[in-house]
Amino acid sequence: MKTIHEVMPLLKWIDASYQQYFKKPLGIGSLPPHLEHASDPTRLAWVHTEAPFMVLAQDTQAEPLFFYSNAAASQQFGYSAEELLQMPARLSAPPDGQEHRAALLRVVEERGSMTGYSGIRVAKGGKLFRIRDSELWLIHDAQKNRRGMGALVWTESAPGRIP
């Protein structure tokens, strides 16, 4: 897995775009209490290495590839971060879920974001798992250039949000 220093520029784009659509920083509502008022770099380091939810980002190619995944995503999907970042994003859904995933992404393209998606995903080796409470949004860089799409995803086995 890449170090926090290597991914911090990406995480800043992901976080700023998330804030644009959801009006709160990435992780707020799920952070341990001692991190609720932490600096952005500390909060983003937690999202990258310790968050109980997955954060993934795919690029804008015709066949999008993941360009970011946090530790929870790598663990849940069963791929090393390097393997996951070379994988076409569509392969995160099982073959019979491809059409539904594509329709979902079209909605995000049109609206800019969406919340509440649940579905099935496929880990390395074909093991299926359920996702819930997904938030998806478009990612832009500091110059407002479109860079891709982000997803904050909870699994059925992940603990819920901290009250």
Side-chain angles (χ1 to χ4, degrees):
M1 187 163 106
K2 291 186 177 186
T3 69
I4 188 62
H5 300 291
E6 293 173 295
V7 299
M8 188 58 76
L10 297 175
L11 270 172
K12 286 181 178 179
W13 291 349
I14 292 166
D15 184 48
S17 296
Y18 181 87
Q19 288 185 52
Q20 176 188 348
Y21 290 106
F22 299 109
K23 310 301 183 216
K24 64 180 182 178
L26 194 59
I28 295 296
S30 302
L31 290 163
H34 72 280
L35 291 178
E36 278 293 330
H37 301 288
S39 67
D40 286 351
T42 300
R43 177 179 50 82
L44 293 173
W46 177 85
V47 167
H48 183 61
T49 60
E50 299 178 54
F53 51 82
M54 296 185 286
V55 176
L56 297 144
Q58 67 181 42
D59 62 26
T60 59
Q61 296 181 69
E63 173 74 78
L65 299 175
F66 289 120
F67 70 86
Y68 175 78
S69 72
N70 69 351
S74 295
Q75 181 180 5
Q76 182 65 48
F77 279 101
Y79 293 99
S80 70
E82 293 75 23
E83 290 173 315
L84 197 55
L85 298 181
Q86 296 174 20
M87 186 174 105
R90 68 178 167 76
L91 297 179
S92 64
D96 62 353
Q98 294 290 322
E99 191 173 309
H100 189 256
R101 181 183 179 278
L104 171 74
L105 298 183
R106 284 192 297 273
V107 170
V108 176
E109 291 284 344
E110 293 169 9
R111 297 182 187 168
S113 67
M114 77 173 305
T115 61
Y117 172 73
S118 296
I120 302 295
R121 290 296 175 262
V122 60
K124 188 175 185 176
K127 182 179 176 186
L128 300 178
F129 63 94
R130 183 170 297 282
I131 60 171
R132 62 180 171 84
D133 301 329
S134 301
E135 299 173 315
L136 294 98
W137 67 98
L138 299 179
I139 298 172
H140 297 86
D141 64 19
Q143 291 74 40
K144 307 296 182 204
N145 298 311
R146 172 83 187 289
R147 294 297 180 171
M149 187 179 298
L152 187 155
V153 181
W154 291 87
T155 64
E156 286 293 315
S157 61
R161 290 176 172 80
I162 297 171

